[in-house]
Amino acid sequence: MYKILKKEILNNSVELMEIKAPYVARKCEAGQFVILRVDRDGERIPLTIADFDRDRETVEIIYQKVGYSTERLSEKQEGDTIEDFVGPLGQPAPLPYDAKHVIGIAGGVGAAPLYPQLRALHEKGVRVDVIIGGRSGEFVILADRFAEFCDHVYLATNDGSVGKQGFVTDVLTELLENGADYDHAIAIGPLVMMKAVVGVTKPIGLPTSVSLNPIMIDGTGMCGGCRVTVGGQTRFACVDGPDFDGFEVDFDECMKRQTMFREEEHVCKIGRGE
Amino acid sequence: MANMSITKVPMPEQEPNVRNHNFKEVATGYTAEMAVEEAARCLQCKNRPCTNGCPVNVPIPDFIAKIAQNDFEGAYDVITSENALPAICGRVCPQENQCEGQCVRGRKGEPVGIGRLERFAADYHMANAESKPVRIEKNGKKVAVVGSGPAGITCAGELIKKGYDVTVFEALHQAGGVLSYGIPEFRLPKALVAKEIETIAKLGVDIRTNVVVGRSVTVDELMADGYDAVFIGSGAGLPRFLNIPGENLLGVYSANEFLTRVNLMKAYRFPETPTPVKIGKNVAVVGAGNVAMDAARTAKRLGAENVYIVYRRSEEELPARAEEVHHAKEEGIIFRLLNNPAAILGNEDGWVCGIEVVKQQLGEPDESGRRSPVPIEGSNYRMDVDTVIIAIGQSPNPLIRQTTPGLDTQRWGGIIVEEETMATSKEGVYAGGDTVTGAATVILAMGAGKKAAAAIDAKLSAGE
C-alpha cells in the first residue's frame, strides 16, 4: 500500500498527488513513468512522473479525470492509500544537454511530464522556454512552476480566456517566424497536438522529442500492447520509450491504436451505473 | 493386489459444451475412492523409472503407496519432500513426456495417472490439513530472488527451509509469475496458486510485489545491499511477433497481452472488473504450444464463435501437452495445420478483417529436429477473422541483462549458466527457468530453482 501524502486540485478535472514510494523515488529520472492500481481488482494505469523528492522518498503524479480508474483515484484523499504503485518504468528521457536553447510545448496535462524534463535541462545550464496550452484557462497548469526557471512562459487557449487564442502551434510558429533560435523542441500532450508540432518543426529541421502514453498493461515489455511504429520499426513504448524522436513516430497509427477499447470505456461507465 | 486395468480411472470433467462457456476448472479431480483405485495400478517397480523421469525427483512409488493405503496426508508429505508446488504440477506438468512417459504400465495400456494422483494428494491436503508450524534455525545469510514464478518460488522455498533470509522481488502487483498472468483459471485456479504462494510466505519468505529489478533496483544494488547471493528467475516475458504486415492493427494481441488481461486483470468479469478485453466472432490464434491452446480456449469462453489454431507444421509436431490439444478439440477449437500467416489484413478504421494464409508442406528436419515447413507456392488464401492472437513464443525480458554488467547472455537473450549449479558469469548470481532456457515448462523451471538453491547453499555454507 502506498500513502497519499498530499492532494491538490489543479482544476475541475486535473489533480496532483504526492505518493510515498521509496523504490520509485530513489531511482526515477525525468521522462520515466509509474503504473498504479487504485484498489484491488483495479486497472493498471500508467502515469508519467511529474516530480520526485529522493530524501522524502516521494513521487508526484498529475492526472486528469478521464475515465473510471482516474475517477476512483480522485476519490482518494490525503492520508488514504492506493493499492499498487510501481516504477520507475521506461527509459529516462534522452535530454538534449548539448542544446543551447530548448522550447518545451505542453498540451493540457502534458505539462506534468514536461516539467521535470525542462527543469533538468535548466539545471545543466540550457536556456528553456515553454508554451503551455489548454482548452481554456483552467486547463493551463503549472505555469507558476515553469516560471521559476523558464526564461519565457507562453500560454495559449482555444477560447482565449488565458494567453493567446489559438493552439500551441500558433504560438510556436509565431516565435519561429520572429527568429527564435531554438535548437531543440520537446512536445508532450495529446497525440493530435504532438503531431501538429512535428508538422511545424520537421519542415525546418528543428529536432523534436515527444512522449507517448499508449495503452499498456504491465509496463515491463511483457504484453506488447504499447507497440508503436518509430522509423518503420515496431518499438514498445514501455521499455524503449516513452520518449521518441517525433520526426519518426507514426502518429496516425498511434491515434488508431488509442481507440482499441473505446466502446469498453463507455460500457465500463454504464455497466457501473454512472 | 494390483489393479490390472489397462486404462486410468477416468478423470471427472465438465462437459465440453458446458465448460467452453465458463472459466471454472475443466477437470474436477479424483474422489478418494478413485484415487485409491488408481493408486492400486502402480506396480511399485524397484528401479523407479517414473522418478527418473521427474525433473525434481519426486519419490513417486512411495507417495502412490501411501494413497493406496488411504494415508493421503502421508502421500502429501512424501511429495513435498521434493516438490514445493504439487497442486500446480499435478495440473500443468507434461506428464506424458516425464514420469508417466517412463511408467512400465504404459507399455501395455495407459500409464499410472501420476499427475492425477499428485493433484489429488495436494488438493486433499489443502482442503483438510492445517499446515504445521515449522521452526527454522536462521543462519544469518540473505538471498534475493528475482521473480515469483515457478523458478523463483521454488528456489525461495528451498532456501528458507535451510535457514536463509529470503526476499522475493516481483514486478507485477501479484505473485506467481506465469502461474498468475499466463495459465488460465480453467486449467489452474488462481485461488490455488495464491494458496501455494501463501504456504511459502508463511515459512517467512518476504515477497515484495511492485519492484521491477532492472528498473526499481539493480542486481548490483541488491548485492551492495547485503544479499549474499541473487537468483534470477525472471521468466520469458517478451512476446515474439511474426514481423508480417498488419501486426499493429486493432484486434491483434500478443498471447501475453490477451492472457494477462483475462487471467491477471480478470477481464472475463468485465465490466465488474475495469480492465476490458475485446474478442471478435472469428479468432485466429497463431502457434500451437500450450500458450496457444490457452489463448484459443480462452477466446472460446469469452464468446467467440469460431476459434482457429493456425500452425505451420502438422499434428505430429504440435508442441502443446497432449491433454491440452485433446481438450481444445473437444471444446470446438478448429485446427488449421500446415498453414502459415503471410499478412494480417485491415479495414479502413484500422481493425483486423482477415489474414492471408499460405499452405505448407513438410521438408527436411530443422535445428529443432522437427520437419520444417515449406510454403506451397500459389496456395495463398484468405481467412475472415476479426481477432488475431500471436502465440509463437516468448524471449527473456531484456531489463535485467541490460542493467547487469558482467552477466553473460546468449545472442537470443537467455542468461548463460553453468548447468550443474545454475551459476552465471557474475559472482554470486544464479539464474534458472525460462530466463535461461527460453519458454519451457513449469516443472523444468522448478527443477532449476531447486538446483540453484542447492548450489547457493553449498557455496554460502562452505564459507563457514
Side-chain angles (χ1 to χ4, degrees), chain A residues 108-147:
Chain A
V109 77
L114 181 64
Y115 172 74
Q117 296 202 19
L118 291 192
R119 189 183 55 185
L121 284 169
H122 162 76
E123 283 166 0
K124 289 277 164 74
V126 180
R127 282 189 295 139
V128 289
D129 289 350
V130 69
I131 307 169
I132 315 171
R135 249 182 292 159
S136 62
E138 66 163 340
F139 291 96
V140 173
I141 59 168
L142 303 182
D144 296 348
R145 280 169 73 173
F146 278 107

Side-chain angles (χ1 to χ4, degrees), chain B residues 205-281:
Chain B
V205 174
D206 176 10
I207 301 177
R208 295 192 196 161
T209 53
N210 295 327
V211 183
V212 185
V213 175
R215 285 278 190 259
S216 314
V217 66
T218 63
V219 170
D220 284 331
E221 285 165 343
L222 290 174
M223 300 296 277
D225 237 19
Y227 287 100
D228 299 291
V230 177
F231 174 76
I232 303 170
S234 51
L238 192 75
R240 285 200 203 121
F241 285 90
L242 291 156
N243 295 317
I244 58 174
E247 265 184 317
N248 291 352
L249 289 165
L250 302 178
V252 182
Y253 297 97
S254 71
N256 267 1
E257 177 180 1
F258 181 68
L259 291 172
T260 301
R261 283 182 180 276
V262 178
N263 300 329
L264 181 72
M265 306 311 296
K266 304 198 173 14
Y268 63 93
R269 281 165 37 199
F270 180 88
E272 187 195 326
T273 54
T275 304
V277 67
K278 206 180 189 88
I279 198 78
K281 271 191 183 154

Side-chain angles (χ1 to χ4, degrees), chain B residues 55-56 149-152 154-155 231 432-434 437 440-450:
Chain B
V56 295
T154 304
C155 185
F231 174 76
D434 284 3
T437 56
T441 60
V442 168
I443 188 72
L444 285 174
M446 290 176 57
K450 203 170 153 178

Side-chain angles (χ1 to χ4, degrees), chain B residues 331-396:
Chain B
E331 289 169 16
I333 307 300
I334 305 157
F335 283 66
R336 289 279 175 92
L337 304 177
L338 289 166
N339 276 253
N340 199 27
I344 303 173
L345 313 169
N347 66 18
E348 296 148 15
D349 300 327
W351 283 90
V352 172
C353 62
I355 52 176
E356 187 191 326
V357 181
V358 191
K359 293 190 180 170
Q360 311 282 310
Q361 57 192 3
L362 290 179
E364 294 300 307
D366 63 13
E367 303 149 5
S368 71
R370 296 175 300 175
R371 294 183 65 191
S372 58
V374 180
I376 302 173
E377 221 170 292
S379 67
N380 297 38
Y381 73 103
R382 179 189 163 134
M383 282 174 70
D384 288 326
V385 296
D386 43 21
T387 305
V388 177
I389 300 169
I390 316 280
I392 57 165
Q394 297 93 235
S395 315

Side-chain angles (χ1 to χ4, degrees), chain B residues 126 174 185 188-198 266:
Chain B
M126 275 194 193
Q174 196 168 304
E185 178 77 19
L188 183 63
K190 298 306 147 218
L192 189 150
V193 175
K195 211 152 179 185
E196 294 277 40
I197 287 166
E198 193 188 297
K266 304 198 173 14

Side-chain angles (χ1 to χ4, degrees), chain A:
Chain A
M1 301 289 258
Y2 301 80
K3 195 164 186 183
I4 301 165
L5 299 182
K6 185 173 98 178
K7 180 179 176 184
E8 204 176 299
I9 313 283
L10 300 184
N11 66 39
N12 267 336
S13 66
V14 179
E15 298 172 355
L16 174 156
M17 277 182 185
E18 190 181 53
I19 313 280
K20 180 88 174 175
Y23 275 107
V24 186
R26 269 180 231 150
K27 290 204 69 123
C28 64
E29 298 289 347
Q32 290 187 298
F33 66 97
V34 297
I35 285 187
L36 65 82
R37 290 200 320 153
V38 180
D39 39 36
R40 286 176 75 88
D41 283 344
E43 254 184 311
R44 293 174 66 93
I45 52 172
L47 286 172
T48 315
I49 294 165
D51 204 354
F52 52 87
D53 186 327
R54 299 217 201 279
D55 296 334
R56 297 175 56 234
E57 300 185 320
T58 59
V59 174
E60 199 177 274
I61 51 169
I62 293 179
Y63 56 93
Q64 186 164 10
K65 294 185 278 173
V66 285
Y68 175 77
S69 293
T70 39
E71 293 283 357
R72 291 292 86 82
L73 179 59
S74 171
E75 285 166 12
K76 298 280 183 180
Q77 304 303 331
E78 250 171 48
D80 290 349
T81 55
I82 54 179
E83 188 77 17
D84 298 293
F85 195 87
V86 59
L89 300 170
Q91 306 276 356
L95 292 173
Y97 289 119
D98 51 358
K100 293 193 172 58
H101 200 184
V102 171
I103 179 75
I105 303 133
V109 77
L114 181 64
Y115 172 74
Q117 296 202 19
L118 291 192
R119 189 183 55 185
L121 284 169
H122 162 76
E123 283 166 0
K124 289 277 164 74
V126 180
R127 282 189 295 139
V128 289
D129 289 350
V130 69
I131 307 169
I132 315 171
R135 249 182 292 159
S136 62
E138 66 163 340
F139 291 96
V140 173
I141 59 168
L142 303 182
D144 296 348
R145 280 169 73 173
F146 278 107
E148 288 166 17
F149 56 82
C150 288
D151 297 333
H152 297 95
V153 177
Y154 304 99
L155 307 179
T157 50
N158 297 13
D159 62 3
S161 54
V162 162
K164 185 182 169 68
Q165 180 173 7
F167 296 111
V168 287
T169 40
D170 298 331
V171 179
L172 176 64
T173 307
E174 201 178 303
L175 288 169
L176 292 169
E177 278 169 3
N178 292 336
D181 61 347
Y182 301 120
D183 49 3
H184 198 100
I186 303 172
I188 308 181
L191 286 164
V192 61
M193 181 212 95
M194 293 189 285
K195 184 185 175 186
V197 168
V198 168
V200 173
T201 57
K202 196 174 178 180
I204 58 165
L206 173 60
T208 304
S209 30
V210 298
S211 175
L212 303 180
N213 188 12
I215 295 171
M216 62 177 73
I217 304 176
D218 59 289
T220 63
M222 203 179 85
C223 79
C226 66
R227 56 197 190 277
V228 293
T229 302
V230 181
Q233 303 269 332
T234 295
R235 312 291 300 275
F236 290 180
C238 70
V239 288
D240 300 322
D243 293 77
F244 292 102
D245 177 351
F247 292 0
E248 302 289 338
V249 171
D250 182 343
F251 286 106
D252 293 335
E253 181 186 90
C254 291
M255 284 187 251
K256 276 184 183 155
R257 289 186 62 79
Q258 207 70 354
T259 67
M260 175 108 175
F261 295 102
R262 187 162 283 170
E263 282 170 35
E264 286 74 12
E265 283 161 20
H266 188 61
V267 170
C268 196
K269 288 191 172 178
I270 299 182
R272 292 158 175 274
E274 287 166 23

